Amino acid sequence: IHRWRLYMGNLKDYRDKELKKYIFANCISVLFLLGELNLDMSDHIVGVEGVGIKITNIVALLSVFYLYIVIFDSLLPDKIKFRLVYLWRMLPGEFIFDDIRENDGDIRFTRSKALERYSDIYSEIEKIACLKQRRKYENQEWYRIFSSVKNEGAVFSAHRDYLMLRDMYVATWLLMVMVVFLGTIEFIPLNLNALVFLFFFIIITNVSATHKGKRFVYNVIACDINRADI
């Protein structure tokens, strides 16, 4: 039990490190593009009081953005986050065995070795006519294998990176929604540059998360096969 708690604690430590820095940096960038970080007091009464009010407004707006993202990100269940990342596409675990059989695209193991190792799984797959049930079965079997190798270094590292990029992607979407909403009600200016900036990072984090997700799924298979050969 202690080992499991330690594993989970390390797995999610990115939420207190990289993710917080990413959210804060994006909030700062958006406020800069919106012109909210402009401390030019030429149109106002120049003085410590005026600068102080401006800084207070900036800090308040930053806090609103940051807390909104953190709270809503914490409320979203993993299932919804997965759907947000993959949208209409299948999860990589849902077609991993078919992918291995058709592409043989991982240099760490051969297709013949995988077919031999998972012969029972492939035999069961051939019996399932319904595509939806077939994908569900493949994902369940992959998760069963993952449960046995989750503490392996390569699996752990890829899993952590995938979750971090997934949460960065979701956080960027949440910030985009916040900016559009506040701009619509004219609480802040609705700036095209800020929206383009966020959309760019939505694309980058989505591509990165899906790539890392596939790598994570393949790492599980590679570790399981190589461990069986020892």
Side-chain angles (χ1 to χ4, degrees):
I1 294 175
H2 175 72
R3 184 181 182 184
W4 170 250
R5 287 177 177 172
L6 179 61
Y7 166 76
M8 287 302 294
N10 292 336
L11 183 63
K12 293 296 183 78
D13 67 352
Y14 68 86
R15 296 186 65 85
D16 293 323
K17 297 177 182 178
E18 292 95 331
L19 183 60
K20 283 186 176 181
K21 292 177 182 178
Y22 175 82
I23 294 173
F24 189 74
N26 273 272
C27 289
I28 289 286
S29 299
V30 167
L31 289 179
F32 175 79
L33 291 170
L34 293 175
E36 295 296 322
L37 295 185
N38 181 18
L39 290 176
D40 182 11
M41 305 301 294
S42 59
D43 295 332
H44 305 281
I45 299 175
V46 179
V48 176
E49 183 179 353
V51 174
I53 292 173
K54 186 68 174 179
I55 292 175
T56 300
N57 291 338
I58 292 172
V59 172
L61 201 53
L62 264 178
S63 300
V64 169
F65 277 7
Y66 183 81
L67 289 175
Y68 155 80
I69 293 172
V70 171
I71 291 172
F72 276 87
D73 175 74
S74 300
L75 290 176
L76 286 176
D78 285 343
K79 186 175 182 179
I80 292 181
K81 289 184 178 182
F82 290 144
R83 281 296 106 209
L84 285 173
V85 171
Y86 291 99
L87 300 174
W88 63 89
R89 297 164 293 182
M90 293 183 294
L91 300 178
E94 294 178 335
F95 61 93
I96 177 62
F97 297 104
D98 281 342
D99 198 48
I100 290 172
R101 180 167 54 185
E102 294 171 6
N103 297 314
D104 194 17
D106 198 301
I107 62 173
R108 294 171 294 180
F109 58 87
T110 62
R111 176 168 50 191
S112 59
K113 181 72 71 174
L115 292 175
E116 178 185 354
R117 172 69 171 165
Y118 307 119
S119 58
D120 292 344
I121 294 176
Y122 281 109
S123 296
E124 191 64 31
I125 288 174
E126 295 303 321
K127 299 176 184 177
I128 304 175
C130 176
L131 181 60
K132 184 177 180 179
Q133 291 300 319
R134 182 170 177 159
R135 298 312 180 201
K136 182 178 180 180
Y137 174 75
E138 287 199 40
N139 197 54
Q140 287 174 338
E141 288 302 306
W142 172 83
Y143 189 81
R144 178 181 59 80
I145 298 168
F146 161 67
S147 297
S148 66
V149 298
K150 62 189 175 186
N151 289 321
E152 296 290 331
V155 173
F156 179 89
S157 177
H159 191 191
R160 181 188 184 277
D161 290 346
Y162 164 69
L163 292 177
M164 179 183 67
L165 289 166
R166 180 203 67 179
D167 286 355
M168 286 179 173
Y169 168 76
V170 172
T172 311
W173 262 120
L174 289 171
L175 182 55
M176 171 80 88
V177 172
M178 183 68 164
V179 169
V180 171
F181 173 74
L182 292 180
T184 302
I185 64 175
E186 299 183 350
F187 185 80
I188 60 173
L190 193 57
N191 186 287
L192 180 61
N193 291 332
L195 298 180
V196 170
F197 171 83
L198 290 173
F199 189 69
F200 171 77
F201 274 95
I202 284 173
I203 294 174
I204 292 298
T205 51
N206 182 267
V207 171
S208 300
T210 53
H211 172 75
K212 185 59 69 172
K214 184 175 182 179
R215 184 68 176 176
F216 163 49
V217 168
Y218 264 91
N219 279 6
V220 169
I221 300 299
C223 285
D224 184 61
I225 291 177
N226 292 329
R227 186 179 62 171
D229 291 338
I230 298 176

